[in-house]
Amino acid sequence: MIASEHGSNRLRPHPAIVALAVCAAAMLAPPAHAAQASAEYALRWSAKGNNMADAKAVLQTLKLKSDDKDNYEVQYFDLTPPADAPPGATSILRQRRKGKDKYELTFKYRSDAPFKKPALRAWTCPLPGADESKDELDVSFSADTQPMQVYSRSCSVETRKTAPLPPAALAARSRGCISRFTRHTAGRLKIEEWTLANGERLIEVSRSEQDSADARARFQRDIVAPLLRTGVTPTERSKTELGGSCS
């Protein structure tokens, strides 16, 4: 006789049957995957000679309103790459100041190929006390060609009042010039107005999402297409290239 639970008419299944059902469910369930990689989709252009010369014009075109605005200063360093730098990757060191007293020092690799080894969780950031490490795909759109893709791996240290010092192992040397930008946010969309060290003005519109065909198509349809219709001429040069140049 099989005992009932709490005197009800519902019968308790035999433990062997339970184990078999669990095993079958596990076999039928889809395999677990790591979270989808993140991507930053971006469109950038020189403000000179374009109708879209500031964030206000961009917001009006996209029918959006700014939620917030922050001012930044950025400088880049020459450095000695770590001994374990991935083959073919470019090593970048950037210091950014937000407002008057918030600093961020970021180390980054940029590569045409994905980072396979070591995995992100096994990677040792060269910045002691790093607050964040991430892998990201940077997707830059142009007018009539396929978007350019570059992979990045980065880590950052954030401080207040005093800028964090680059570690001695990187032998970092400031390039001696500063770029400035104002970032407007509208939901997850960022619109940045850059004044580069050489005086050139740059506009970038970007959004970080999952790396997927749907996310890429949404950015192309909702952001890139309406801005291209205004006549902007995109540049494929990255902010690192543009902001890191002193001439």
Side-chain angles (χ1 to χ4, degrees):
M1 180 177 180
I2 303 176
S4 63
E5 184 177 27
H6 302 304
S8 68
N9 293 326
R10 184 158 56 89
L11 299 181
R12 181 182 295 125
H14 192 279
I17 298 176
V18 173
L20 188 61
V22 170
C23 181
M27 293 175 65
L28 292 173
H33 293 282
Q36 277 187 282
S38 64
E40 183 175 74
Y41 303 100
L43 179 71
R44 67 186 68 88
W45 62 92
S46 172
K48 185 178 180 179
N50 275 299
N51 294 330
M52 298 290 104
D54 56 29
K56 181 179 179 180
V58 173
L59 289 164
Q60 288 177 342
T61 297
L62 299 178
K63 299 178 180 178
L64 297 173
K65 292 184 178 180
S66 176
D67 301 326
D68 198 8
K69 181 176 76 171
D70 292 296
N71 295 316
Y72 294 82
E73 289 186 350
V74 184
Q75 66 169 311
Y76 288 83
F77 297 80
D78 292 320
L79 74 154
T80 300
D84 60 353
T90 300
S91 299
I92 298 159
L93 187 63
R94 179 194 74 202
Q95 180 183 286
R96 190 161 66 187
R97 186 180 77 176
K98 178 181 178 182
K100 293 183 178 181
D101 63 354
K102 295 181 69 175
Y103 292 87
E104 179 187 70
L105 184 66
T106 297
F107 176 85
K108 179 182 290 190
Y109 288 127
R110 284 174 63 85
S111 173
D112 292 334
F115 299 97
K116 295 181 179 179
K117 293 182 179 180
L120 180 63
R121 63 180 177 274
W123 177 53
T124 301
C125 169
L127 302 182
D131 303 303
E132 177 188 17
S133 297
K134 66 178 180 179
D135 281 351
E136 190 170 61
L137 176 64
D138 300 324
V139 183
S140 298
F141 286 80
S142 60
D144 53 9
T145 61
Q146 288 294 318
M148 184 178 69
Q149 298 187 165
V150 177
Y151 296 86
S152 68
R153 169 168 290 184
S154 64
C155 56
S156 300
V157 174
E158 296 182 359
T159 60
R160 286 186 176 272
K161 305 296 183 182
T162 304
L165 295 175
L170 295 180
R173 303 165 301 283
S174 173
R175 293 181 182 172
C177 60
I178 293 177
S179 295
R180 295 174 173 82
F181 71 92
T182 299
R183 173 184 290 169
H184 299 257
T185 57
R188 290 183 294 114
L189 194 71
K190 295 180 291 188
I191 304 101
E192 295 180 353
E193 303 171 319
W194 280 71
T195 300
L196 305 178
N198 63 4
E200 180 183 352
R201 293 187 61 248
L202 177 78
I203 308 295
E204 183 190 75
V205 182
S206 65
R207 185 165 66 198
S208 293
E209 295 192 56
Q210 290 181 332
D211 175 22
S212 70
D214 286 346
R216 186 175 301 206
R218 282 195 302 272
F219 191 80
Q220 170 80 44
R221 180 193 65 221
D222 299 340
I223 307 301
V224 177
L227 290 172
L228 290 182
R229 284 196 292 267
T230 69
V232 302
T233 304
T235 177
E236 292 184 355
R237 296 182 67 193
S238 70
K239 284 191 299 187
T240 299
E241 292 177 89
L242 293 163
S245 175
C246 292
S247 58

